[in-house]
Amino acid sequence: MLEIKAFSAGYQGNDVVHDVSFHVETGEAVMIIGSNGSGKTTLFRAMCGLLGASSGEVLFNRDDLAGMPAQRIVRLGMGFVPAERHLFPRMTVQEHLSLGAYPKRPDPETMSIVLDLFPRLAERRRQRAGTMSGGEQQMLAVGRALMSRPRLLVLDEPTTGLAPKLAVEAYEALGVLRDQGLTLLVAEQQVPLAMAFSDRGYVLENGQIQIQGTSEELAKNPEVRRAYLGVM
Ligand SMILES: Nc1ncnc2c1ncn2[C@@H]1O[C@H](COP(=O)(O)OP(=O)(O)OP(=O)(O)O)[C@@H](O)[C@H]1O
Ligand SMILES: [Mg+2]
């Protein structure tokens, strides 16, 4: 579904993601793990058309996304949930979900799928996003992205700012989406959660993929255990 080849991106002519290649097959849940500043957000933003790439290819199904504006990439079926969530504090849950379908009209069937997945959002349709808890805001950010009916959902650190219990709940919801057949790509520092959720993963350090494997292989890898799982 997604193939990234020799991809580089950065800021003001300085690359911070160097020659990265990876792929995501239909139906897979894939994680990119890496510590602060390793380049996860830069990689995702460049891939989704929110930041210019300096070289490489992004093949999404049959399309080459290089240089494509973000809105067109969404229309091709790639949904993105940024770590900062980018909600509008004064807008309601309902308004955010409607906006997620833009430029199409919100489809009632999709709306009910999203509200079934997140009953909390259904209860709070008229509540303003700014007054919701961190966990609810995360649900709303995911729900909004789902309104465009993505074939691939890309999430940048979906557990940002969440208490441990809510982080577990966030991954439970993602697990439901995975089990329904949605293809998922997630960047994460809460590695145990992401590992239990994903089929495969890549370790990004200093803007380069250093290790890759199935989640089972990564869980056994001594370097991964030391750096990301707190095992001495
Ligand atoms: N707008 C920007 N201008 C210049 N440099 C930036 C900008 N945004 C990020 N960087 C730099 O790019 C590098 C990678 O940052 P990035 O945000 O992609 O890392 P990350 O893996 O997402 O980190 P975190 O886990 O903290 O979110 C860092 O050195 C960072 O300082
Ligand atoms: Mg980041």
Side-chain angles (χ1 to χ4, degrees):
M1 180 172 284
L2 179 70
E3 184 164 21
I4 307 282
K5 289 188 197 167
F7 191 70
S8 300
Y11 307 92
Q12 288 97 37
N14 296 315
D15 285 347
V16 297
V17 168
H18 312 277
D19 198 22
V20 162
S21 299
F22 68 94
H23 63 100
V24 180
E25 304 297 327
T26 303
E28 273 191 317
V30 173
M31 64 179 172
I32 307 275
I33 60 180
S35 46
N36 288 120
S38 57
K40 303 179 297 296
T41 298
T42 305
L43 171 63
F44 279 9
R45 286 176 54 83
M47 213 175 77
C48 297
L50 296 165
L51 176 75
S54 43
S55 58
E57 281 178 72
V58 181
L59 301 172
F60 182 51
N61 296 305
R62 297 274 165 273
D63 296 294
D64 184 355
L65 305 188
M68 232 186 239
Q71 190 53 244
R72 218 173 129 208
I73 293 176
V74 173
R75 280 207 296 275
L76 289 173
M78 193 190 302
F80 179 51
V81 182
E84 321 77 44
R85 297 176 193 139
H86 294 159
L87 300 176
F88 301 96
R90 298 174 67 84
M91 278 174 52
T92 64
V93 166
Q94 176 89 40
E95 287 165 342
H96 277 92
L97 295 180
S98 299
L99 196 65
Y102 184 86
K104 291 193 195 142
R105 279 170 185 275
D107 164 38
E109 191 196 323
T110 311
M111 184 76 85
S112 59
I113 292 171
V114 170
L115 295 177
D116 283 349
L117 178 68
F118 298 118
R120 290 280 274 282
L121 297 183
E123 289 163 18
R124 291 159 188 274
R125 286 166 84 136
R126 274 169 248 295
Q127 188 170 335
R128 291 174 198 260
T131 64
M132 296 175 78
S133 74
E136 290 163 354
Q137 292 191 16
Q138 172 58 22
M139 291 174 199
L140 182 53
V142 173
R144 178 180 57 186
L146 291 174
M147 287 301 294
S148 67
R149 297 300 293 251
R151 287 192 277 175
L152 169 67
L153 187 63
V154 179
L155 301 109
D156 189 9
E157 299 205 48
T159 57
T160 301
L162 299 187
K165 183 167 165 279
L166 290 179
V168 169
E169 283 179 20
Y171 270 96
E172 280 169 3
L174 296 181
V176 171
L177 292 170
R178 177 201 58 204
D179 295 345
Q180 289 172 352
L182 183 65
T183 308
L184 291 133
L185 174 65
V186 54
E188 193 52 271
Q189 283 188 71
Q190 303 245 24
V191 176
L193 280 176
M195 212 167 243
F197 155 81
S198 56
D199 301 300
R200 286 192 303 113
Y202 297 85
V203 178
L204 187 72
E205 283 306 338
N206 300 317
Q208 291 181 303
I209 305 262
Q210 303 288 5
I211 308 171
Q212 55 179 291
T214 64
S215 298
E216 230 168 274
E217 288 164 353
L218 293 175
K220 288 186 200 147
N221 182 296
E223 277 176 69
V224 173
R225 288 167 71 82
R226 213 176 313 113
Y228 298 100
L229 298 173
V231 180
M232 293 297 153

